[in-house]
Amino acid sequence: MSVPSTTPRPAVEPSIWPRLEPLLPQVTKPIQYVGGELGAVVKGWDAAAVRWALMYPDAYEVGLPNQGVQILYEVLNELPDVLAERTYAVWPDLEKLMRAHGVPQFTVDAHRSVRDFDVFGVSFSTELGYTNLLTAIDLAGIPLLAADRTDADPVIVAGGHAAFNPEPIADFVDAAVLGDGEEAVLEITAIVREWKAEGSPGGRDELLLRLARTESVYVPRFYDVDYLPDGRIQRVVPNRADVPFRVHKRTTMDLDAWPYPKKPLVPLAETVHERYAVEIFRGCTRGCRFCQAGMITRPVRERSITTVGQMVQQGLEFSGFHEVGLLSLSSADHSEIGDMCSGLAEQYAGTNVSLSLPSTRVDAFNIDLAQELSRNGRRTGLTFAPEGGSERIRKVINKMVSKEDLIRTVVTAYTNGWRQVKLYFMCGLPTETDADVLEIADMAHEVIRAGRAATGSKDIRCTVSIGGFVPKPHTPFQWAAMERPEVIDHRLRLLKQAINADRSLGRAIGFRYHDGEPSLIEGLLSRGDRRVGAVIRRVWENGGRFDGWSEHFSYQRWVDAAAEVLPAFGVDLDWYTTRQRDELEVLPWDHLDSGLDKDWLWQDWQDALSEYEQDDCRWTPCFDCGVCPSMDTEIQIGPTGRKLLPLTPVNGAGLRIPAPTPQ
Ligand code: B12
Ligand code: SF4
């Protein structure tokens, strides 16, 4: 264990803006580095006892709308003695100039150097952001390896869904938080505040130890990993007496008590979403076996219809957005979704405010919902995700939707005025054959045929979008072998031919897909252990940046780095990806507790292989996945009987919303 030095912090530069500004005319979209958005907060540096830099490790256009970062930014900035600022990944053109001119990674709020903050929190919804983390750490002037950092460096904390297996980035981060962040960031802040007020006793090591003792902050340096001669993990054990064997996820109960974001950030430059998004519930118990998000965010916790109504009202009033996104993992499943949509549609009737849901379950969508979403004549796109082409494969993944239901639902959408519907599928699922994938073409043909018959119009389209399956930690598929990229690409070629085999129908069907190679690398990063850190570093040193973007991603760079680095450990890329694990194998994340019982996950994996379906515990009795008893949580669903009463109708076309009537 390295003992961190007590190097004092260097003097803080008030703003790096005078050094950054001259570089901006030379880069693309300079506006993304300027800050000052509606909703942005700039606080005095000296008055703050604890300072957070929060990062979404992708470009501003993807990172700014991220809810996780917006929520934590607001929760932290509401504390009078705490300051939080945001930073995003800089594009390679600016990175090059920053390196040439010695400009560090900066926050967009007050353009401060990230190195000057106490905590550098990074939100990972996808593992493909790991190389961008290294760029940011390096540009900030912080040592890449956590072991080399001193008291002059911030504590780097990872969060977000990918942090449920932070082992591949264990060398680069100081800590990781599993689960919901609202209360976790407050707890971390309190610990940092107290430690600083005491004069930072014991330096960085003591601070990390205090965080680890909470049992919900994972500090990788306090755990040793031993390997078996064949490369598998033998055990992961604490190397300090006072840290827990297992680190537990955080769950924020009662979402009504956390109605964030209240003041959503309004982007200056174009971003992937320009809307006010409200999470209407967290968690999902549908039990789709591929879905890590569904598994790790259990149990279901609904936000009440009243709070959603108030949040929408305040959020729109503050931001001026014209679109409301009702977010969750399966929004049509909210116990009061009908009332919620009709209430909001009523509320904003005659204005230019539209409502949208992210991808919707076929079996939860109905005609009333369709009508509410299409009021005012605005239809913001409709996406259904059957995920599997054949009924058999849908049983394997536990996404039970019949072909008839799907067709009926899509036809409902067409007859309610939608002209374009997107259908999401995956390729490379466990036990999948060519025939399973080819059934996607039949389904798409029938959708168009039935849609034309019902509307009497040829002017309808559907887009089939295919993603590669990636087995994720903490899911029943965590033991599964991935399919090889050449097999995936072959199946996708067959599917394209089958869709276009009927030219009249094929013309109405768009076909979008990701080829198999990026998924394989995502698979390496998702189920990797600490040895994969060396691969990430090598890729980054060889120029890897923005791996989530197809135009920047280089499969060859990852393959070469894996081939250079992994043989020294007696493993290779295949070993991490296309190898099926057995029941007794110690998985790299076994010491990280998502609440799910490993025996239950194994049983669910066996059920998948025998095509046996699992119910949804939201509506049926508990089937003992382990989460509620181990996390001391419970399912929170309505109907609560609490309606949208505080809202009063908006007049005319504007967004003028009268103050709520007290209940
Ligand atoms: C909106 C959305 C998008 C949008 C916007 C992304 C964005 N900038 O936010 C778009 C369309 C761009 C998008 C793209 C993608 N998405 Co998306 N997306 C979502 C969606 C619907 C909502 C995300 C959200 O806002 N959640 C709510 C917030 C509050 O949760 P959160 O971010 O996890 O944050 C909380 C905690 O994690 C924690 N936390 C987060 N960060 C940190 C940091 C610290 C330091 C701490 C302490 C805590 C902490 O605190 C927060 C509050 O509790 C989710 C589904 C869902 N409902 O979650 C999928 C989801 C996150 N996306 C997913 C995927 C796969 C993708 C893509 C990779 C798809 C693709 N193949 O291209 C890309 C990746 C884009 C990128 N480069 O990041 C998956 C993630 C899968 C996984 N890890 O298992 C999800 C879960 C959907 C799913 N079921 O598969 N997505
Ligand atoms: S413990 Fe039971 S009620 Fe809770 S999420 Fe798991 S199956 Fe559902």
Side-chain angles (χ1 to χ4, degrees), residues 285 298-299 617 622-629 635:
T285 40
R298 290 174 181 210
C617 66
C622 167
F623 48 75
D624 289 331
C625 77
V627 171
C628 292
I635 287 190

Side-chain angles (χ1 to χ4, degrees), residues 441 445 494-507:
H445 285 165
L494 291 180
L495 175 59
K496 192 172 182 183
Q497 285 163 10
I499 288 176
N500 292 324
D502 182 318
R503 292 186 62 187
S504 156
L505 296 173
R507 262 200 298 272

Side-chain angles (χ1 to χ4, degrees), residues 442-514:
D442 296 342
M443 201 186 257
H445 285 165
E446 283 198 38
V447 158
I448 296 297
R449 242 185 248 117
R452 285 180 181 169
T455 58
S457 162
K458 284 214 159 187
D459 176 30
I460 51 163
R461 286 185 61 75
C462 87
T463 301
V464 168
S465 183
I466 319 253
F469 163 68
V470 180
K472 295 276 182 175
H474 306 277
T475 70
F477 288 165
Q478 63 184 357
W479 290 279
M482 287 186 80
E483 199 53 271
R484 295 184 170 282
E486 28 321 342
V487 177
I488 305 277
D489 295 347
H490 170 71
R491 284 186 188 148
L492 294 176
R493 269 195 306 276
L494 291 180
L495 175 59
K496 192 172 182 183
Q497 285 163 10
I499 288 176
N500 292 324
D502 182 318
R503 292 186 62 187
S504 156
L505 296 173
R507 262 200 298 272
I509 301 169
F511 184 51
R512 293 216 191 125
Y513 62 93
H514 297 283

Side-chain angles (χ1 to χ4, degrees), residues 85-414:
E85 299 194 12
R86 295 159 298 132
T87 181
Y88 303 102
V90 298
W91 282 111
D93 58 354
L94 183 58
E95 181 192 338
K96 206 167 146 208
L97 287 170
M98 286 164 71
R99 288 189 187 283
H101 293 84
V103 174
Q105 179 79 26
F106 56 89
T107 58
V108 293
D109 297 296
H111 296 96
R112 285 159 175 148
S113 168
V114 164
R115 193 180 183 211
D116 291 335
F117 288 74
D118 299 307
V119 189
F120 180 19
V122 191
S123 180
F124 290 103
S125 24
T126 157
E127 297 79 5
L128 294 172
Y130 290 162
T131 46
N132 283 358
L133 167 73
L134 298 201
T135 308
I137 296 178
D138 190 51
L139 277 177
I142 301 169
L144 270 190
L145 296 178
D148 295 337
R149 289 179 201 141
T150 69
D151 291 356
D153 299 302
V155 167
I156 303 186
V157 184
H161 291 180
F164 276 80
N165 176 23
E167 291 300 84
I169 49 167
D171 289 346
F172 314 118
V173 297
D174 297 292
V177 172
L178 281 65
D180 297 334
E182 288 86 348
E183 291 157 294
V185 292
L186 295 180
E187 192 175 355
I188 294 172
T189 300
I191 291 170
V192 175
R193 184 194 284 118
E194 190 178 284
W195 172 79
K196 283 178 75 179
E198 289 169 14
S200 311
R204 193 175 183 83
D205 201 54
E206 167 70 16
L207 173 60
L208 291 171
L209 195 56
R210 290 187 187 186
L211 292 171
R213 282 199 205 114
T214 62
E215 304 200 356
S216 62
V217 179
Y218 173 52
V219 180
R221 70 167 62 181
F222 295 147
Y223 296 79
D224 290 336
V225 184
D226 297 331
Y227 299 96
L228 294 164
D230 66 5
R232 288 177 303 152
I233 293 173
Q234 183 181 23
R235 56 184 194 151
V236 181
V237 275
N239 54 32
R240 310 275 298 233
D242 40 6
V243 299
F245 272 88
R246 297 194 85 201
V247 180
H248 310 295
K249 83 161 175 185
R250 299 294 303 239
T251 308
T252 300
M253 298 305 289
D254 190 8
L255 292 194
D256 283 353
W258 298 90
Y260 297 91
K262 297 173 188 165
K263 296 180 178 167
L265 288 156
V266 181
L268 291 179
E270 197 182 329
T271 58
V272 288
H273 283 138
E274 280 153 33
R275 65 182 185 198
Y276 179 58
V278 190
E279 273 181 287
I280 59 172
F281 65 87
R282 256 184 216 167
C284 180
T285 40
R286 286 283 193 165
C288 303
R289 293 181 171 122
F290 55 84
C291 182
Q292 185 194 40
M295 295 285 163
I296 60 178
T297 59
R298 290 174 181 210
V300 168
R301 289 146 287 149
E302 287 187 354
R303 194 164 255 154
S304 80
I305 193 167
T306 313
T307 306
V308 171
Q310 283 167 342
M311 286 176 72
V312 169
Q313 178 175 334
Q314 286 164 11
L316 291 184
E317 203 167 27
F318 177 81
S319 65
F321 284 133
H322 292 156
E323 188 186 332
V324 177
L326 300 178
L327 281 194
S328 75
L329 287 167
S330 177
S331 293
D333 278 341
H334 191 286
S335 61
E336 292 179 293
I337 189 69
D339 284 349
M340 192 183 291
C341 288
S342 58
L344 289 170
E346 192 64 36
Q347 171 70 22
Y348 295 104
T351 73
N352 52 1
V353 172
S354 63
L355 279 184
S356 69
L357 301 185
S359 88
T360 312
R361 278 190 71 98
V362 167
D363 43 358
F365 187 81
N366 58 45
I367 188 135
D368 296 340
L369 201 51
Q371 279 165 353
E372 298 308 351
L373 290 174
S374 62
R375 271 223 235 170
N376 300 343
R378 279 185 303 277
R379 295 172 185 85
T380 49
L382 210 45
T383 305
F384 297 104
E387 310 286 8
S390 70
E391 192 121 347
R392 189 195 72 78
I393 205 80
R394 290 197 294 275
K395 283 188 181 162
V396 172
I397 63 178
N398 204 40
K399 188 135 194 182
M400 268 328 292
V401 170
S402 71
K403 193 171 167 181
E404 293 67 38
D405 277 349
L406 177 94
I407 290 165
R408 196 177 320 116
T409 303
V410 177
V411 168
T412 304
Y414 288 140

